[in-house]
Amino acid sequence: MIKLKKCKQLNPSLLAGLTIIIVISVLAFIPGAFTHYNPTDIASDSILKAPSDLHLFGTDNFGRDIFSRVIYATRIDVMIGIFSVLIPFIIGTTLGLISGYYGGKIDSLIMRTVDIFMAFPYMVLAIAIVAIEQAGLWALFLSMWLVSWKEYARLIRSEVLVVKNAEYVEAAKVLAYSDFRIITRSILPNVLSSAIIYAASDVVMCMLSGAAMSYLGLGVQAPTPEWGAIISGGKAFLSTAWWITIFPGIFLVVTGFGFSLIGDGLSDILRKGRA
Amino acid sequence: MDLLSYILKRVLQIIPVFIIATILIFFLMRLIPGDPALVMLGEKATPESLALLRSKMGLDQSYFTQFYLFFKNLICFDLGTSIKYKEPVLLLLGDKLMTTVWLIISSLFFSLLFSIIPGYYSGIHKDKPVDYIFRLLSLLSLATPAFWIGLVLLTLFSVQVNWFPVSGWGNTFEEHILGLILPGITQGIGVAAVLIRNLRNNVIDVKDSDYVNYARSKGLSNFQIGIHHILRNALIPTTTLLSMRIATMLSGSIVVETVFGLPGIGALLVNGIYARDYPVVQGVVLLFVLLVMVINLATDIIYSFLDPRVKLS
């Protein structure tokens, strides 16, 4: 059970991670407060300008301000990270609970489906989905959801198998509570912690995979500002305009680092809570 | 249960999974909008030639018949012909697979190179500043996208100073080695992050064990104990973990090959998608699935072989 309240002092990892993510969230919510350039405005008189007071991160080959593109991209990248995890977390947790609690045929059916999805490498299935749907944000989400649910199902199921024979679950059964009540009230709170720890690192994985897909031209499409897509646009100018590639990458690393720190801090707290 | 029947059982287990994965891939490919015959012949195709090609490819048959033909060809190792390269897909795959295998060997080498020293020192100096620095570094490298670090390395070492090729891996053996260094480092950095943490925890477990204390009481030097008693034992689980990461590296190779212009199966997949070359996409996805299943199986078997505590069930 998550007992954040009991843990009076936040550990340094969690604190540092939260600080980074709060700053990033502010950028995501009000990008307009930090730049007056429109991220998609083309300016033929300021093409491939180096970083200066006028353009903090320089401009690209269309004369677009890189700083403003990077800032406006924050929302979409953070969204990819969070929503790519949230939906599979819910689906995987539900399936894992059903699989672990009921066992039998439904358990084999769910776990064999997991086996099949395990055989597809992460990016390969995503790329195949993008081939079917038109490449874009929707196809990206669809592929992430299809790819990521299985880990949650496996994690939750293995925890349920441990918990379901516990005395308090037996007691709930003796009281003739419904399965739904036993699963949601007695089992769920006790099996969530490892899935939560995994989810924190999964956010980073999904955000980076989303950016990688966009880098390959199979995710978010130009001219929508997205870090991976901006980096991809700078690839042709590595020798002349390094700023197009470098700055969005730094934002990706810092955001990923923030989420990783939160995951690291959370796992410390949740493990202590169990001991 | 003895080892042989365990292996047999595991091999038999992957067959139905592979068949279902094949069915899934078949229908995924049929869901792709557009007519493959039209893609092959181009916009100028006459209705007659289109109809001829469609019947030749079996596209006018029912899905069931199509799948039967597809599966029959698959068993005879016939994966169709590439639309873009006009070559049998199987030959293309064989041609490109070696590049990917070499990329993975290079990545394995660099990931071990980057993880042994940090992992060892973090474990020995647990909760000291060194440990915190390496822990932060490994978190940082987990958050670093491979395609970006690849481009940064390219900018630094191929564009600014001309040490490595900007794209591809040349034709001679020396050029191949040179072309594999930066991609290996790129892929190695991400994997090292996971290995460092694992090695650190193993070193912590091993360093206070009885046999290390015994070696100390014999008066062996710290260096000898470090290499022979601590590191060697701590590395066993880490190498197992590394072999489990090979499947992840396979999908990582898609991005890394694209960044560095290496002609492997990952780049083949991406180019296949760009060119709407469905036979190639289908072939690569099938090969990826097969490879991942074989690698996972091999890891399981080796693991049960190395560690007799793993129950063979």
Side-chain angles (χ1 to χ4, degrees):
Chain A
M1 176 85 202
I2 321 151
K3 287 179 177 124
L4 278 176
K5 276 179 210 154
K6 272 196 180 171
C7 198
K8 287 271 161 55
Q9 82 280 34
L10 290 165
N11 62 46
S13 298
L14 191 59
L15 204 64
L18 282 174
T19 315
I20 293 176
I21 295 307
I22 288 169
V23 172
I24 292 292
S25 308
V26 172
L27 293 181
F29 277 114
I30 41 167
F34 300 92
T35 170
H36 58 273
Y37 288 104
N38 185 316
T40 48
D41 267 359
I42 292 170
S44 54
D45 56 336
S46 57
I47 283 170
L48 294 174
K49 289 273 192 296
S52 63
D53 289 346
L54 207 60
H55 298 284
L56 208 54
F57 289 177
T59 62
D60 66 5
N61 52 322
F62 294 106
R64 294 177 296 202
D65 182 59
I66 295 295
F67 180 72
S68 125
R69 286 183 68 71
V70 169
I71 297 292
Y72 273 91
T74 311
R75 183 184 300 176
I76 206 159
D77 277 88
V78 171
M79 224 171 71
I80 290 172
I82 290 176
F83 285 107
S84 300
V85 170
L86 200 64
I87 307 285
F89 185 94
I90 295 169
I91 297 173
T93 302
T94 312
L95 289 175
L97 283 170
I98 294 171
S99 192
Y101 185 77
Y102 290 105
K105 276 191 181 137
I106 182 101
D107 180 34
S108 331
L109 180 71
I110 293 173
M111 291 331 282
R112 291 297 81 77
T113 316
V114 167
D115 281 348
I116 292 160
F117 277 83
M118 292 293 274
F120 286 88
Y122 204 82
M123 289 280 281
V124 172
L125 191 60
I127 288 179
I129 302 285
V130 169
I132 298 164
E133 284 283 320
Q134 196 79 40
L137 198 58
W138 174 240
L140 194 65
F141 274 134
L142 197 67
S143 58
M144 295 288 192
W145 294 341
L146 268 173
V147 169
S148 332
W149 63 274
K150 57 186 189 292
E151 271 82 15
Y152 297 97
R154 266 165 42 121
L155 273 173
I156 293 286
R157 176 182 175 272
S158 65
E159 297 273 320
V160 172
L161 291 180
V162 176
V163 168
K164 82 170 176 184
N165 297 319
E167 278 171 17
Y168 54 84
V169 177
E170 296 293 334
K173 279 184 187 158
V174 170
L175 289 169
Y177 285 152
S178 68
D179 283 350
F180 182 76
R181 185 177 165 147
I182 295 174
I183 290 174
T184 51
R185 298 265 190 95
S186 308
I187 292 181
L188 185 63
N190 294 296
V191 296
L192 268 181
S193 58
S194 59
I196 291 174
I197 294 171
Y198 180 79
S201 61
D202 204 23
V203 169
V204 183
M205 266 277 284
C206 287
M207 193 181 72
L208 296 186
S209 306
M213 293 285 286
S214 304
Y215 170 80
L216 294 175
L218 304 171
V220 178
Q221 300 292 307
T224 312
E226 191 280 338
W227 291 329
I230 302 173
I231 293 172
S232 173
K235 201 193 168 183
F237 308 99
L238 281 185
S239 54
T240 50
W242 53 268
W243 49 89
I244 307 176
T245 327
I246 300 301
F247 290 116
I250 293 174
F251 270 72
L252 259 175
V253 174
V254 170
T255 311
F257 189 50
F259 281 119
S260 298
L261 282 171
I262 291 180
D264 205 45
L266 271 182
S267 78
D268 275 357
I269 291 174
L270 292 174
R271 280 205 197 102
K272 251 178 228 156
R274 280 180 147 194
Chain B
M1 204 193 305
D2 63 332
L3 195 64
L4 204 70
S5 56
Y6 170 73
I7 293 174
L8 198 71
K9 193 186 152 201
R10 289 284 322 209
V11 172
L12 287 177
Q13 261 176 359
I14 68 170
I15 291 173
V17 175
F18 185 68
I19 291 175
I20 295 172
T22 313
I23 297 173
L24 216 69
I25 294 167
F26 173 83
F27 282 104
L28 272 178
M29 292 300 128
R30 294 309 176 278
L31 283 175
I32 295 176
D35 183 347
L38 194 66
V39 176
M40 262 177 106
L41 292 174
E43 293 297 325
K44 286 174 192 155
T46 59
E48 292 80 27
S49 62
L50 211 60
L52 196 71
L53 186 68
R54 284 177 63 85
S55 76
K56 209 176 124 194
M57 289 169 76
L59 290 171
D60 50 354
Q61 311 277 337
S62 70
Y63 275 141
F64 188 76
T65 323
Q66 280 191 47
F67 181 73
Y68 170 73
L69 286 171
F70 167 74
F71 206 75
K72 205 177 83 184
N73 288 338
L74 187 69
I75 289 170
C76 309
F77 295 104
D78 179 7
L79 291 169
T81 310
S82 158
I83 296 170
K84 189 180 163 197
Y85 303 95
K86 312 268 186 262
E87 258 186 80
V89 173
L90 193 73
L91 283 182
L92 272 174
L93 290 179
D95 194 28
K96 312 277 181 185
L97 183 60
M98 275 327 281
T99 317
T100 305
V101 170
W102 279 110
L103 169 64
I104 286 175
I105 291 172
S106 171
S107 313
L108 288 172
F109 172 75
F110 282 105
S111 53
L112 273 178
L113 189 73
F114 295 150
S115 52
I116 290 179
I117 292 174
Y120 177 75
Y121 278 101
S122 282
I124 293 288
H125 303 286
K126 184 185 172 229
D127 294 331
K128 300 268 167 54
V130 186
D131 184 24
Y132 282 113
I133 290 169
F134 282 133
R135 235 177 109 176
L136 278 184
L137 277 179
S138 69
L139 274 186
L140 199 63
S141 71
L142 268 183
T144 310
F147 66 94
W148 182 69
I149 203 76
L151 287 177
V152 172
L153 291 174
L154 269 179
T155 314
L156 290 176
F157 299 110
S158 301
V159 177
Q160 302 292 336
V161 289
N162 216 344
W163 289 357
F164 301 104
V166 176
S167 177
W169 71 335
N171 298 311
T172 64
F173 183 69
E174 288 80 15
E175 284 176 326
H176 284 356
I177 297 289
L178 210 59
L180 285 170
I181 293 177
L182 290 186
I185 293 176
T186 303
Q187 182 102 270
I189 288 174
V191 180
V194 186
L195 297 187
I196 289 174
R197 288 179 148 200
N198 180 269
L199 185 60
R200 169 188 178 270
N201 295 338
N202 299 338
V203 168
I204 292 169
D205 287 344
V206 169
K207 74 173 178 183
D208 293 322
S209 65
D210 289 341
Y211 55 86
V212 171
N213 286 334
Y214 176 66
R216 238 180 265 285
S217 68
K218 278 203 305 189
L220 292 180
S221 70
N222 269 338
F223 182 77
Q224 268 181 314
I225 296 171
I227 299 280
H228 289 292
H229 295 91
I230 300 178
L231 195 56
R232 256 171 78 177
N233 288 299
L235 269 176
I236 296 172
T238 308
T239 26
T240 316
L241 179 72
L242 183 61
S243 62
M244 288 179 195
R245 300 299 292 189
I246 293 178
T248 321
M249 284 185 187
L250 258 180
S251 55
S253 68
I254 297 171
V255 172
V256 175
E257 283 169 14
T258 310
V259 170
F260 290 96
L262 288 176
I265 49 171
L268 186 68
L269 175 65
V270 174
N271 290 328
I273 295 273
Y274 292 155
R276 308 229 141 225
D277 194 345
Y278 305 127
V280 165
V281 174
Q282 185 171 277
V284 178
V285 175
L286 271 170
L287 180 64
F288 265 115
V289 170
L290 191 64
L291 284 175
V292 168
M293 289 198 324
V294 170
I295 291 166
N296 287 344
L297 179 69
T299 314
D300 276 1
I301 291 171
I302 293 167
Y303 194 59
S304 64
F305 200 67
L306 283 178
D307 193 343
R309 284 170 302 177
V310 177
K311 269 196 221 142
L312 302 179
S313 57

